[in-house]
Coordinates of all heavy atoms in Angstrom, one line a residue:
M21 N 35.4 63.4 53.7 CA 36.2 63.6 54.9 C 37.7 63.3 54.7 O 38.0 62.3 54.0 CB 35.7 62.7 56.0 CG 36.1 63.1 57.4 SD 35.4 62.1 58.7 CE 36.6 60.8 58.8
A22 N 38.5 64.2 55.2 CA 40.0 63.9 55.0 C 40.4 62.8 55.9 O 40.1 62.7 57.1 CB 40.7 65.2 55.4
V23 N 41.2 61.9 55.3 CA 41.6 60.7 56.0 C 43.1 60.6 55.9 O 43.7 60.8 54.8 CB 41.0 59.4 55.5 CG1 41.5 58.2 56.1 CG2 39.5 59.5 55.6
P24 N 43.9 60.3 57.0 CA 45.3 60.2 56.9 C 45.7 59.1 55.9 O 45.1 58.0 56.0 CB 45.8 59.9 58.3 CG 44.6 60.3 59.2 CD 43.4 60.2 58.3
K25 N 46.7 59.3 55.1 CA 47.1 58.3 54.1 C 47.9 57.2 54.8 O 47.8 56.0 54.3 CB 48.0 59.0 53.1 CG 48.2 58.1 51.8 CD 48.9 59.0 50.7 CE 48.9 58.2 49.4 NZ 49.5 59.0 48.3
K26 N 48.7 57.5 55.8 CA 49.5 56.5 56.5 C 49.2 56.5 58.0 O 48.9 57.5 58.6 CB 51.0 56.8 56.3 CG 51.5 56.6 54.9 CD 52.0 55.2 54.7 CE 52.8 55.0 53.4 NZ 52.0 55.1 52.2
K27 N 49.3 55.3 58.5 CA 49.1 55.1 60.0 C 50.3 55.9 60.7 O 51.4 55.7 60.3 CB 49.1 53.6 60.3 CG 49.1 53.4 61.8 CD 49.1 51.9 62.1 CE 49.1 51.6 63.6 NZ 48.9 50.1 63.8
T28 N 49.9 56.6 61.7 CA 50.9 57.3 62.5 C 51.6 56.2 63.4 O 51.0 55.5 64.1 CB 50.3 58.3 63.4 OG1 49.6 59.2 62.7 CG2 51.4 59.1 64.2
S29 N 53.0 56.1 63.2 CA 53.7 55.1 64.0 C 53.7 55.4 65.5 O 53.5 56.6 65.9 CB 55.1 55.0 63.4 OG 55.8 56.2 63.7
K30 N 54.0 54.4 66.3 CA 54.1 54.6 67.7 C 55.2 55.7 68.0 O 55.0 56.5 68.9 CB 54.5 53.3 68.4 CG 53.4 52.3 68.5 CD 54.0 51.0 69.0 CE 53.0 49.8 68.8 NZ 53.7 48.5 69.1
S31 N 56.3 55.6 67.2 CA 57.4 56.6 67.4 C 56.9 58.0 67.1 O 57.1 58.9 68.0 CB 58.5 56.2 66.5 OG 59.6 57.2 66.6
R32 N 56.2 58.2 66.0 CA 55.7 59.5 65.6 C 54.7 60.0 66.6 O 54.8 61.2 67.1 CB 55.0 59.5 64.2 CG 56.0 59.6 63.1 CD 56.2 61.1 62.7 NE 57.3 61.2 61.9 CZ 58.2 62.2 62.0 NH1 58.2 63.1 62.9 NH2 59.3 62.2 61.1
R33 N 53.8 59.2 67.0 CA 52.8 59.5 68.0 C 53.4 59.9 69.3 O 53.0 61.0 69.9 CB 51.8 58.3 68.2 CG 50.7 58.5 69.2 CD 50.2 57.2 69.7 NE 51.2 56.5 70.5 CZ 51.2 55.2 70.8 NH1 50.3 54.4 70.3 NH2 52.2 54.7 71.5
D34 N 54.3 59.2 69.8 CA 55.0 59.5 71.1 C 55.8 60.7 71.0 O 56.0 61.4 72.0 CB 55.7 58.2 71.6 CG 54.8 57.1 71.9 OD1 53.6 57.3 72.0 OD2 55.3 56.0 72.1
Q35 N 56.5 60.9 69.8 CA 57.3 62.2 69.7 C 56.4 63.4 69.8 O 56.7 64.4 70.4 CB 58.0 62.2 68.4 CG 59.3 61.3 68.4 CD 60.0 61.4 67.0 OE1 60.4 62.4 66.6 NE2 60.0 60.2 66.3
R36 N 55.2 63.3 69.2 CA 54.2 64.4 69.2 C 53.8 64.6 70.7 O 53.7 65.8 71.1 CB 53.0 64.0 68.3 CG 52.0 65.2 68.3 CD 50.8 64.8 67.4 NE 50.0 63.7 67.8 CZ 49.9 62.6 67.1 NH1 50.4 62.4 66.0 NH2 49.1 61.6 67.6
R37 N 53.6 63.6 71.4 CA 53.1 63.7 72.8 C 54.2 64.1 73.8 O 53.9 64.2 75.0 CB 52.4 62.4 73.2 CG 51.1 62.2 72.4 CD 50.5 60.9 72.8 NE 49.3 60.6 72.0 CZ 48.6 59.5 72.0 NH1 49.0 58.5 72.9 NH2 47.6 59.3 71.2
S38 N 55.4 64.1 73.3 CA 56.5 64.4 74.3 C 56.4 65.8 74.9 O 57.0 66.0 75.9 CB 57.9 64.3 73.5 OG 58.1 65.3 72.6
H39 N 55.6 66.7 74.3 CA 55.5 68.0 74.8 C 54.2 68.1 75.7 O 53.9 69.2 76.2 CB 55.4 69.0 73.7 CG 56.5 69.0 72.8 ND1 57.7 69.7 73.1 CD2 56.7 68.5 71.6 CE1 58.6 69.5 72.1 NE2 58.0 68.7 71.2
H40 N 53.5 67.0 75.9 CA 52.2 67.1 76.6 C 52.4 66.9 78.1 O 51.5 66.4 78.8 CB 51.3 66.0 76.1 CG 50.8 66.2 74.7 ND1 49.8 65.5 74.1 CD2 51.2 67.1 73.7 CE1 49.6 65.9 72.9 NE2 50.5 66.9 72.6
Y41 N 53.4 67.4 78.7 CA 53.6 67.3 80.1 C 53.2 68.7 80.7 O 53.2 69.7 80.1 CB 55.1 67.0 80.5 CG 56.1 67.9 79.9 CD1 56.4 69.1 80.5 CD2 56.7 67.6 78.6 CE1 57.4 69.9 80.0 CE2 57.6 68.5 78.1 CZ 57.9 69.6 78.7 OH 58.9 70.5 78.2
V42 N 52.9 68.7 82.0 CA 52.7 69.9 82.8 C 53.8 70.2 83.7 O 54.5 69.2 84.2 CB 51.3 69.8 83.6 CG1 50.2 69.8 82.6 CG2 51.3 68.6 84.5
T43 N 54.1 71.4 84.0 CA 55.1 71.8 84.9 C 54.5 72.4 86.2 O 53.3 72.8 86.1 CB 56.1 72.8 84.3 OG1 55.3 74.0 83.9 CG2 56.8 72.2 83.1
T44 N 55.3 72.4 87.2 CA 54.7 73.0 88.5 C 54.7 74.5 88.5 O 54.1 75.1 89.4 CB 55.6 72.5 89.7 OG1 57.0 72.7 89.4 CG2 55.4 71.0 89.9
G45 N 55.5 75.1 87.6 CA 55.5 76.6 87.5 C 56.5 77.1 88.5 O 57.3 76.4 89.2
Q46 N 56.5 78.5 88.7 CA 57.4 79.2 89.5 C 57.0 79.1 91.0 O 55.8 79.3 91.3 CB 57.5 80.6 89.1 CG 58.2 80.9 87.8 CD 59.7 80.7 87.8 OE1 60.3 81.2 88.7 NE2 60.2 79.9 87.0
A47 N 58.0 78.8 91.8 CA 57.7 78.8 93.3 C 58.5 79.9 93.9 O 59.6 80.3 93.5 CB 58.1 77.5 93.9
E48 N 58.0 80.5 95.0 CA 58.7 81.5 95.8 C 58.2 81.4 97.2 O 57.2 80.8 97.5 CB 58.4 82.9 95.2 CG 57.0 83.4 95.4 CD 56.9 84.9 95.0 OE1 57.8 85.5 94.4 OE2 55.8 85.4 95.2
S49 N 58.9 82.1 98.1 CA 58.5 82.1 99.5 C 57.6 83.2 99.8 O 57.8 84.3 99.3 CB 59.7 82.1 100.4 OG 60.5 83.2 100.2
C50 N 56.6 83.0 100.7 CA 55.7 84.0 101.1 C 56.4 85.1 101.8 O 57.2 84.9 102.7 CB 54.6 83.4 101.9 SG 53.4 84.5 102.6
S51 N 56.0 86.4 101.5 CA 56.6 87.5 102.2 C 56.1 87.7 103.6 O 56.7 88.4 104.4 CB 56.4 88.8 101.3 OG 55.0 89.0 101.2
N52 N 54.9 87.1 103.9 CA 54.3 87.2 105.2 C 54.8 86.1 106.2 O 55.2 86.4 107.3 CB 52.8 87.2 105.1 CG 52.1 87.5 106.4 OD1 52.3 88.5 107.0 ND2 51.3 86.5 106.8
C53 N 54.7 84.9 105.7 CA 55.0 83.8 106.6 C 56.3 83.0 106.2 O 56.7 82.1 107.0 CB 53.8 82.8 106.8 SG 53.4 81.9 105.3
G54 N 56.8 83.2 105.0 CA 58.0 82.5 104.6 C 57.7 81.2 104.0 O 58.7 80.5 103.5
E55 N 56.5 80.7 104.0 CA 56.1 79.4 103.4 C 56.3 79.4 101.9 O 56.1 80.5 101.3 CB 54.7 79.1 103.8 CG 54.3 77.6 103.8 CD 55.0 76.8 104.9 OE1 54.9 77.2 106.0 OE2 55.6 75.8 104.6
T56 N 56.7 78.3 101.3 CA 56.8 78.2 99.9 C 55.4 78.3 99.2 O 54.5 77.6 99.7 CB 57.4 76.9 99.5 OG1 58.7 76.8 100.1 CG2 57.7 76.8 98.0
K57 N 55.2 79.2 98.3 CA 54.0 79.3 97.6 C 54.2 79.5 96.1 O 55.3 79.7 95.7 CB 53.2 80.5 98.2 CG 53.7 81.9 97.8 CD 52.8 82.9 98.3 CE 53.1 84.3 97.7 NZ 52.7 84.3 96.2
Q58 N 53.1 79.4 95.3 CA 53.2 79.6 93.9 C 53.2 81.1 93.6 O 52.4 81.8 94.2 CB 52.1 78.8 93.2 CG 52.7 78.0 92.1 CD 51.6 77.0 91.5 OE1 50.5 77.4 91.4 NE2 52.0 75.8 91.2
R59 N 53.9 81.5 92.6 CA 53.9 82.9 92.2 C 52.6 83.3 91.7 O 51.9 82.6 91.0 CB 55.0 83.2 91.1 CG 56.4 83.2 91.6 CD 57.3 83.9 90.6 NE 57.2 85.4 90.8 CZ 58.0 86.2 90.2 NH1 58.9 85.8 89.4 NH2 57.9 87.5 90.5
H60 N 52.2 84.6 92.0 CA 50.9 85.2 91.6 C 49.7 84.4 92.1 O 48.6 84.5 91.6 CB 50.8 85.3 90.1 CG 52.0 85.9 89.4 ND1 52.4 87.2 89.6 CD2 53.0 85.4 88.6 CE1 53.5 87.5 89.0 NE2 53.9 86.4 88.4
H61 N 49.9 83.7 93.3 CA 48.8 82.9 93.9 C 48.8 83.3 95.4 O 49.8 83.7 96.0 CB 49.1 81.4 93.8 CG 48.8 80.9 92.4 ND1 47.7 80.0 92.2 CD2 49.4 81.0 91.3 CE1 47.7 79.7 90.9 NE2 48.8 80.3 90.3
V62 N 47.6 83.2 96.0 CA 47.4 83.4 97.4 C 48.2 82.4 98.2 O 48.3 81.2 97.8 CB 45.9 83.4 97.8 CG1 45.7 83.5 99.3 CG2 45.1 84.5 97.0
C63 N 48.8 82.8 99.3 CA 49.6 81.9 100.1 C 48.6 80.9 100.8 O 47.6 81.4 101.5 CB 50.4 82.6 101.1 SG 51.2 81.5 102.3
F64 N 48.7 79.6 100.6 CA 47.8 78.7 101.2 C 48.0 78.6 102.7 O 47.1 78.1 103.5 CB 47.9 77.3 100.6 CG 47.4 77.2 99.2 CD1 48.2 76.9 98.1 CD2 46.0 77.5 99.0 CE1 47.7 76.8 96.9 CE2 45.5 77.5 97.7 CZ 46.3 77.1 96.6
S65 N 49.2 79.0 103.2 CA 49.5 78.8 104.6 C 48.8 79.9 105.5 O 48.2 79.7 106.5 CB 51.0 78.8 104.8 OG 51.3 78.7 106.2
C66 N 49.0 81.2 105.0 CA 48.5 82.3 105.8 C 47.4 83.1 105.1 O 46.7 84.0 105.8 CB 49.6 83.3 106.2 SG 50.4 84.1 104.8
G67 N 47.1 82.8 103.9 CA 46.0 83.5 103.2 C 46.3 84.9 102.8 O 45.4 85.7 102.5
Y68 N 47.6 85.3 102.7 CA 48.0 86.6 102.3 C 48.3 86.7 100.8 O 48.8 85.7 100.2 CB 49.2 87.1 103.1 CG 48.8 87.8 104.4 CD1 48.2 87.1 105.4 CD2 49.2 89.1 104.6 CE1 47.9 87.8 106.6 CE2 48.8 89.8 105.8 CZ 48.2 89.1 106.8 OH 47.9 89.7 107.9
Y69 N 48.0 87.8 100.2 CA 48.5 88.1 98.9 C 48.8 89.6 98.8 O 48.0 90.4 99.1 CB 47.4 87.7 97.8 CG 47.9 87.9 96.4 CD1 48.8 87.0 95.9 CD2 47.4 88.9 95.6 CE1 49.3 87.1 94.6 CE2 47.9 89.0 94.3 CZ 48.8 88.1 93.8 OH 49.3 88.2 92.5
R70 N 50.1 89.8 98.4 CA 50.6 91.2 98.2 C 50.4 92.0 99.5 O 49.9 93.1 99.6 CB 49.9 92.0 97.1 CG 50.3 91.4 95.7 CD 49.7 92.2 94.6 NE 50.4 93.5 94.5 CZ 50.1 94.4 93.6 NH1 49.2 94.2 92.7 NH2 50.8 95.5 93.5
G71 N 50.8 91.3 100.7 CA 50.8 92.0 102.0 C 49.4 92.2 102.6 O 49.3 92.9 103.5
R72 N 48.4 91.6 102.0 CA 47.0 91.8 102.5 C 46.4 90.4 102.7 O 46.6 89.5 101.8 CB 46.2 92.6 101.5 CG 45.0 93.3 102.1 CD 44.5 94.3 101.1 NE 44.0 93.6 99.8 CZ 42.8 93.1 99.6 NH1 41.9 93.2 100.6 NH2 42.5 92.5 98.5
R73 N 45.6 90.2 103.8 CA 44.9 88.9 104.0 C 43.7 88.9 103.1 O 42.8 89.8 103.2 CB 44.5 88.8 105.4 CG 43.8 87.4 105.7 CD 43.4 87.2 107.1 NE 44.6 87.1 108.0 CZ 44.5 87.3 109.3 NH1 43.4 87.6 109.9 NH2 45.6 87.2 110.1
V74 N 43.6 87.9 102.2 CA 42.5 87.9 101.2 C 41.6 86.7 101.5 O 40.5 86.7 101.0 CB 43.0 87.9 99.8 CG1 43.6 89.3 99.4 CG2 44.0 86.8 99.5
I75 N 42.0 85.7 102.2 CA 41.1 84.6 102.6 C 41.2 84.4 104.1 O 42.2 84.8 104.7 CB 41.4 83.2 101.8 CG1 42.9 82.8 102.0 CG2 41.1 83.4 100.4 CD1 43.2 81.5 101.4
A76 N 40.2 83.7 104.7 CA 40.2 83.5 106.1 C 41.4 82.9 106.7 O 42.0 82.0 106.0 CB 38.9 82.7 106.5
H77 N 41.8 83.3 107.9 CA 43.0 82.8 108.5 C 42.8 81.3 108.9 O 41.8 80.9 109.4 CB 43.3 83.6 109.8 CG 44.5 83.1 110.5 ND1 45.8 83.2 110.0 CD2 44.7 82.5 111.7 CE1 46.6 82.7 110.8 NE2 46.0 82.3 111.9
N78 N 43.9 80.5 108.6 CA 43.9 79.1 108.9 C 44.6 78.9 110.3 O 45.8 79.2 110.4 CB 44.7 78.4 107.8 CG 44.8 76.9 108.1 OD1 44.1 76.4 109.0 ND2 45.6 76.2 107.4
P79 N 43.8 78.5 111.3 CA 44.4 78.5 112.7 C 45.5 77.4 112.8 O 46.4 77.5 113.7 CB 43.2 78.1 113.6 CG 42.2 77.5 112.6 CD 42.4 78.2 111.3
A80 N 45.6 76.4 111.9 CA 46.6 75.4 111.9 C 48.0 76.0 111.5 O 49.0 75.4 111.9 CB 46.2 74.2 111.0
A81 N 48.0 77.0 110.7 CA 49.3 77.6 110.3 C 49.8 78.6 111.3 O 49.1 79.3 111.9 CB 49.1 78.3 108.9
Ligands
ZN128 ZN1 52.1 83.1 103.8

C-alpha cells in the first residue's frame, strides 16, 4: 500500500481545504411575484417557474 513519506502539516492541510467552501449561487427576483429566488429554481414564494405554476399555491405568500 502506498504510504505518504511525510506528515502533511497543518498549514498544507488547511491550504488544501481552503477551497472546500460552498457558495449560495446566483440569486434573482421572481418574474411573477418579485421575491428573491435562486436562478433555475422554482420560486418558493409563489411556486412559479418560467411563467407557469409548477407547485401548489402557498396561501401565506
Ligand atoms: Zn414568485
Side-chain angles (χ1 to χ4, degrees):
M21 196 177 87
V23 174
K25 194 169 188 176
K26 287 276 192 290
K27 176 179 178 173
T28 305
S29 68
K30 289 173 194 169
S31 177
R32 274 275 164 220
R33 179 201 66 198
D34 293 347
Q35 280 180 64
R36 180 177 67 241
R37 293 178 186 174
S38 71
H39 303 280
H40 292 190
Y41 55 86
V42 291
T43 59
T44 52
Q46 289 287 310
E48 67 173 9
S49 56
C50 175
S51 57
N52 183 60
C53 69
E55 201 70 49
T56 305
K57 71 175 197 68
Q58 231 171 38
R59 284 200 84 172
H60 310 294
H61 285 248
V62 175
C63 176
F64 287 121
S65 178
C66 63
Y68 270 64
Y69 186 69
R70 295 185 68 182
R72 200 169 64 87
R73 184 181 290 164
V74 290
I75 54 173
H77 179 66
N78 179 11

